[in-house]
Amino acid sequence: MEFNKRLFKRGAAILCARDCDMARPHDKSDYQTPYERFFRFSFGPLLPETFEDDVKLFGEVLSEYKKEMGVQ
């Protein structure tokens, strides 16, 4: 949760399985996603040319988080 908050401040997020399923209906009350075991790292709509910078952003946030949590 805290890691996702940090990502969100930089314009990114980790989405749960239900939010990754682009086929999900508007009425989700009885819907069972086939992607229950998945998550998606999201920056919103991106160009393929930004991939390296996006991965770098994720790494920076992860490194900062680990440092503050005392994890090597």
Side-chain angles (χ1 to χ4, degrees), residues 25-58:
H26 291 287
D27 178 15
K28 300 169 191 69
S29 57
D30 293 330
Y31 181 68
Q32 186 69 26
T33 181
Y35 305 108
E36 196 61 40
R37 295 178 33 219
F38 290 81
F39 69 91
R40 183 177 86 193
F41 183 51
S42 177
F43 292 95
L46 298 174
L47 297 172
E49 298 81 28
T50 66
F51 179 79
E52 295 297 327
D53 289 335
D54 300 333
V55 172
K56 182 179 175 188
L57 181 148
F58 183 85

